[in-house]
């Protein structure tokens, strides 16, 4: 067994549950036998290392600990993991990657080495960093990681010319889209999407362990025109509207139905998206999933605010010059300015294709 790969699989179970903390997995191995395992619990509860060590008990003495992120070495909501590791009698600690948190980075490993433990670094580092990409951006910039997600036809349309959009992709692709919501802190859409589709923006049909956890929902609506009776505002969890201005009666009505109004500076024709992301970061939201429509996605791409793209492409042609496209905005003027993705992965889901990449 590859114990670090197994630790990563444990960490994935925590995605969507631990924010703003990282999702971490850990296993304890003694004499070639796995004697303890764990993954990070929700904030304020035990970290992965503690869960694994508690399960191992006395068997941890002289054992190897595999952990996907450098153990914390400071007192937060929970005691430092480094001290628990030292006291357990573990002989070797295998760490996939350093924690970029300035309170931890390099300090956790140094503390373990000073106590006489052997530290082995770098196994499955790329995958460990990819798994916690949202946490890494947030902890180093105080801004949330932004994933742009859309479902489109082969010719790039997200609806017919009459506005119908259900369903472009098949059941498996839609289930994967709900998995993306499950691991995000915030799902964001534009006012046009709310008015046209009246979505719920909840996690349903998800395969993950946190399927009952609902991300916060944000509608970007510069003039505050969306209806307070929209379906997304009736769902479990927090709902917000980001506006530049809003009439007092409508603001009062939003508050009455439990919707928080975020007043954000204007930039050009709409909300200053960078300012909105900064505001969400101040609230410890680490991962924003932007689901469209084309106007909002176009603005995010034009501003260079997208960290990751997940595009679901159906083998269908919708056609029509008036049918809305997945990404609007100004776009590139010349080919040299076209945004090209790196580290691209292509997957088939049912009859659809999923393309994932990084600008």
């Amino acid at each position: 067994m590859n114990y670090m790969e197994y630790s990563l699989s444990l960490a994935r179970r925590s995605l969507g549950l631990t924010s703003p903390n990282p999702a971490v997995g850990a296993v304890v191995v003694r004499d070639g036998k796995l004697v303890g395992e764990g993954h990070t619990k929700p904030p304020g509860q035990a970290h992965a290392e503690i869960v694994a060590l508690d399960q191992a008990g006395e068997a941890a003495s002289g054992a190897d600990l595999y952990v996907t992120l450098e153990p914390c070495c400071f007192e937060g909501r929970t005691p430092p993991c480094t001290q628990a590791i030292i006291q357990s009698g573990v002989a070797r600690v295998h760490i996939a990657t350093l924690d970029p948190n300035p309170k931890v980075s390099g300090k956790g490993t140094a503390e373990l080495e000073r106590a006489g433990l052997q530290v082995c670094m770098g196994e499955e580092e790329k995958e460990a960093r990819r798994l916690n990409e949202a946490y890494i951006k947030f902890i180093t910039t105080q801004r949330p990681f932004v994933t742009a997600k859309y479902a489109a036809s082969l010719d790039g349309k997200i609806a017919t010319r009459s506005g119908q959009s259900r369903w472009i992709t098949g059941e498996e692709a839609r289930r994967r889209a709900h998995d993306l919501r499950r691991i995000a802190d915030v799902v964001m859409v534009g006012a046009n999407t709310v008015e046209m589709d009246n979505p719920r923006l909840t996690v349903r049909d998800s395969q993950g362990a946190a399927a009952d956890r609902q991300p916060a929902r944000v509608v970007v609506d510069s003039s505050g025109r969306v209806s307070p009776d929209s379906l997304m505002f009736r769902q479990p969890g927090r709902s917000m509207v980001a506006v530049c201005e809003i009439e007092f009666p409508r603001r009062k009505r939003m508050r009455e139905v439990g919707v928080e109004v975020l007043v954000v500076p204007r930039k050009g024709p709409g909300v200053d998206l960078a300012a909105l992301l900064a505001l969400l970061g101040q609230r410890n939201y680490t991962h924003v999933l932007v689901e469209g429509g084309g106007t909002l996605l176009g603005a995010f791409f034009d501003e260079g605010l997208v960290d990751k793209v997940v595009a679901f492409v159906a083998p269908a042609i919708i056609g029509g010059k008036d049918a809305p496209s997945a990404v609007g905005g100004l776009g590139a003027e010349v080919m040299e300015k076209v945004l090209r993705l790196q580290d691209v992965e292509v997957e088939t889901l049912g009859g659809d294709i999923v393309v994932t990449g990084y600008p």
Side-chain angles (χ1 to χ4, degrees):
M1 174 187 287
N2 184 317
Y3 294 114
M4 192 62 79
E5 283 187 359
Y6 184 61
S7 297
L8 286 166
S9 73
L10 293 173
R12 292 187 190 96
R13 300 181 189 178
S14 291
L15 282 173
L17 291 172
T18 64
S19 182
N21 296 332
V24 180
V27 299
V28 181
V29 180
R30 182 172 178 178
D31 299 327
K33 181 180 178 182
L34 196 154
V35 294
E37 63 180 62
H39 55 83
T40 310
K41 302 301 180 183
Q45 299 182 39
H47 291 187
E49 303 95 314
I50 306 305
V51 177
L53 290 171
D54 284 348
Q55 189 178 109
E58 294 182 0
S61 181
D64 287 64
L65 171 67
Y66 292 78
V67 60
T68 59
L69 188 70
E70 182 180 15
C72 68
C73 55
F74 67 95
E75 184 88 23
R77 295 186 186 181
T78 58
C81 291
T82 48
Q83 286 302 306
I85 293 169
I86 293 167
Q87 292 168 10
S88 73
V90 161
R92 286 166 297 278
V93 182
H94 305 257
I95 302 171
T97 188
L98 291 176
D99 187 336
N101 186 339
K103 293 181 179 180
V104 182
S105 188
K107 300 179 178 69
T109 56
E111 184 174 332
L112 296 174
E113 289 175 332
R114 283 196 302 271
L117 281 71
Q118 181 181 348
V119 176
C120 307
M121 288 293 306
E123 185 179 349
E124 303 291 345
E125 180 174 13
K126 182 177 180 180
E127 185 58 31
R129 293 183 63 83
R130 180 67 55 85
L131 186 142
N132 273 309
E133 59 194 2
Y135 164 77
I136 290 171
K137 181 187 178 183
F138 174 76
I139 205 67
T140 55
T141 68
Q142 302 305 304
R143 298 289 191 274
F145 186 89
V146 175
T147 297
K149 169 262 173 184
Y150 60 85
S153 61
L154 201 57
D155 55 338
K157 304 297 184 180
I158 57 174
T160 66
R161 66 175 185 269
S162 66
Q164 291 185 357
S165 60
R166 297 182 180 176
W167 297 102
I168 291 177
T169 54
E171 184 177 343
E172 289 185 49
R174 296 198 299 273
R175 187 178 298 116
R176 175 68 61 82
H178 280 277
D179 286 339
L180 293 176
R181 288 181 182 176
R182 177 183 62 82
I183 65 174
D185 295 331
V186 173
V187 177
M188 183 180 293
V189 295
N192 289 339
T193 296
V194 176
E195 291 183 329
M196 291 292 294
D197 298 340
N198 197 20
R200 285 180 282 176
L201 299 183
T202 53
V203 176
R204 309 179 297 279
D205 211 20
S206 171
Q207 300 298 306
D212 58 345
R213 170 191 176 270
Q214 296 299 335
R217 297 172 293 275
V218 175
V219 53
V220 179
D221 179 18
S222 59
S223 60
R225 71 179 192 265
V226 296
S227 171
D229 298 319
S230 300
L231 277 177
M232 63 176 284
F233 299 144
R234 304 179 192 174
Q235 309 308 312
R238 175 174 293 182
S239 293
M240 292 170 271
V241 175
V243 304
C244 299
E245 62 273 329
I246 186 171
E247 296 177 354
F248 178 76
R250 185 170 287 271
R251 182 171 188 163
K252 182 173 181 290
R253 175 61 180 149
M254 286 290 187
R255 287 176 173 172
E256 288 173 349
V257 298
V259 178
E260 184 179 2
V261 177
L262 306 176
V263 180
V264 183
R266 180 179 292 277
K267 184 174 183 180
V271 166
D272 185 332
L273 296 176
L276 174 57
L277 291 176
L279 181 59
L280 294 175
Q282 290 170 10
R283 296 175 178 222
N284 283 334
Y285 291 121
T286 66
H287 188 181
V288 174
L289 178 66
V290 183
E291 293 201 4
T295 299
L296 183 63
L297 282 171
F300 266 93
F301 280 111
D302 285 345
E303 294 291 325
L305 298 173
V306 175
D307 297 298
K308 184 176 184 177
V309 177
V310 182
F312 296 85
V313 182
I317 305 295
I318 292 177
K321 62 182 179 62
D322 295 324
S325 298
V327 180
L330 293 175
E333 185 175 4
V334 294
M335 287 304 296
E336 288 78 4
K337 298 295 184 181
V338 168
L339 182 65
R340 299 189 184 276
L341 302 182
Q342 307 294 323
D343 296 329
V344 174
E345 296 179 359
V346 180
E347 180 184 0
T348 300
L349 279 179
D352 304 309
I353 297 170
V354 186
V355 180
T356 302
Y358 299 82

